[in-house]
Amino acid sequence: MITDNRQITEHFHSSEFRCQHCGNIYIQEELVKKMEELFKKLNASKCIISSGYRCREYDIQIGGFAGRHSEGLAADCVYYDENGNIIPSKIVICVAWDMKLLNGIANIDGNYSHLDNRKNGTYYGDEPRGNSSMWSNPYSYFGVSKEEVRQYTKEEEPSSNKVNAFYRVKTQKHGWLSEVENLDDYAGYEGSPIIGLAMRVDVGSIKYRVTTVSGKTLGWITGCDIDDYISGWAGNGEPIALVEAYYFTPDNIRPYQYAYYKVNDYPYQKDLVKGNGFDGFAGESGVTATKFQMYIGD
């Protein structure tokens, strides 16, 4: 943790994160570096921190409880574009979410955003509506288009190399639910335990398997047919806890693409990668899966 007065990155100085109550500096360097990455991705001209570190007393005074600010893991801020205009928080949130940098992202008032580098769980918030997670896809929740985001990131529209993921789940209460495409929604309903999972892609191929709440890991599946009980979907009728998936990129698509997938509100898993924040699977051992999402990206 940074506690001294110094320049941390090109655009952020530790004094900007000083507690407004006690005056102390206590901020995680990794958080600031991620904010710098976001700064550059947005082509921002400046970023103003309204609240960084808060001592425990001040954090309770401000929000009613000691949260990530008191741990030096959070900052509330507003980014400005290259013309000096405020970048709406919904744009900042979508870009931060696309970059998969932070597990804590929230709208504060339409201009300011809450960013935190929590390691356990996720917080995707809309604070005018409360302090709980409110969304799983900021684009659909805040009504933002990719074109709006590209006005700030200056990125070109993606080529035809895009790969679409399709998936559906079988729940204990409702049976098989409708198929979901990419992050248009999540698969699951009313918190009912997921007992079956089927997935497919429109380009290339994918393999997947599940582990039940009781700890039984089932075999790999490569098909997607809910009427094929042998190789068309993953599950054995027991509640599922963990999911593993691996995308095979065809030779005509580069850069290599990966399956990004999540269970409930836990962080995304990238293919079968272990390390750098990835566990090799999505979900939590022994915890029943009730929601699932997936997409293919680089």
Side-chain angles (χ1 to χ4, degrees):
M1 302 297 286
I2 293 174
T3 57
D4 59 332
N5 198 43
R6 63 184 172 92
Q7 194 73 31
I8 305 174
T9 66
E10 181 180 354
H11 297 100
F12 293 102
H13 192 279
S14 63
S15 61
E16 298 176 76
F17 299 87
R18 187 187 303 275
C19 177
Q20 298 173 27
H21 179 259
C22 69
N24 290 335
I25 297 172
Y26 186 77
I27 197 72
Q28 185 192 50
E29 185 172 6
E30 182 182 350
L31 167 67
V32 182
K33 288 182 175 180
K34 289 182 177 182
M35 292 177 65
E36 179 73 31
E37 288 185 55
L38 182 58
F39 187 106
K40 293 176 178 176
K41 187 73 170 181
L42 289 164
N43 293 298
S45 60
K46 65 178 178 179
C47 178
I48 294 178
I49 312 297
S50 64
S51 185
Y53 170 62
R54 300 173 188 161
C55 62
R56 183 178 177 84
E57 179 183 350
Y58 187 51
D59 207 16
I60 293 173
Q61 178 184 328
I62 292 294
F65 62 94
R68 306 301 176 182
H69 284 277
S70 67
E71 299 171 4
L73 299 178
D76 298 339
C77 60
V78 57
Y79 285 88
Y80 290 78
D81 67 17
E82 54 194 0
N83 297 315
N85 299 314
I86 290 175
I87 302 175
S89 61
K90 63 182 182 180
I91 300 295
V92 175
I93 288 168
C94 286
V95 174
W97 186 73
D98 281 340
M99 295 175 72
K100 304 173 187 65
L101 289 175
L102 300 160
N103 288 327
I105 314 170
N107 167 56
I108 296 177
D109 63 2
N111 293 327
Y112 281 82
S113 303
H114 169 91
L115 305 173
D116 78 57
N117 198 37
R118 68 185 64 201
K119 296 302 181 183
N120 297 317
T122 57
Y123 169 49
Y124 298 142
D126 187 8
E127 296 190 353
R129 297 183 59 192
N131 290 317
S132 300
S133 284
M134 295 291 179
W135 47 267
S136 58
N137 183 335
Y139 284 92
S140 58
Y141 181 85
F142 293 106
V144 178
S145 69
K146 291 287 187 179
E147 181 57 36
E148 288 179 277
V149 168
R150 286 195 289 269
Q151 291 176 12
Y152 294 91
T153 62
K154 312 300 182 185
E155 294 177 335
E156 295 183 2
E157 189 170 353
S159 68
S160 58
N161 282 347
K162 178 175 174 58
V163 180
N164 294 301
F166 304 86
Y167 51 94
R168 62 193 306 184
V169 299
K170 182 179 184 180
T171 70
Q172 207 168 59
K173 183 177 180 180
H174 312 95
W176 284 105
L177 303 180
S178 299
E179 188 173 70
V180 177
E181 179 179 351
N182 300 321
L183 299 179
D184 288 349
D185 200 351
Y186 67 84
Y189 191 55
E190 294 184 339
S192 180
I194 294 174
I195 60 174
L197 172 65
M199 63 176 72
R200 63 185 178 89
V201 291
D202 61 357
V203 181
S205 60
I206 194 167
K207 70 174 183 177
Y208 57 101
R209 69 179 181 179
V210 301
T211 299
T212 65
V213 170
S214 65
K216 184 176 182 179
T217 300
L218 307 182
W220 289 103
I221 301 295
T222 56
C224 182
D225 181 354
I226 62 174
D227 294 320
D228 182 352
Y229 292 87
I230 304 300
S231 57
W233 55 278
N236 64 357
E238 299 178 33
I240 291 169
L242 309 179
V243 177
E244 297 169 84
Y246 182 85
Y247 176 70
F248 296 91
T249 305
D251 292 338
N252 64 336
I253 290 184
R254 290 296 181 272
Y256 283 96
Q257 303 290 294
Y258 305 89
Y260 291 90
Y261 52 102
K262 65 184 293 187
V263 166
N264 299 342
D265 292 321
Y266 296 114
Y268 277 97
Q269 168 65 33
K270 177 182 179 181
D271 266 355
L272 303 176
V273 174
K274 292 183 179 180
N276 295 321
F278 296 110
D279 297 321
F281 54 81
E284 186 77 21
S285 295
V287 178
T288 299
T290 59
K291 296 195 297 185
F292 179 79
Q293 283 187 297
M294 181 178 74
Y295 69 96
I296 306 299
D298 56 20

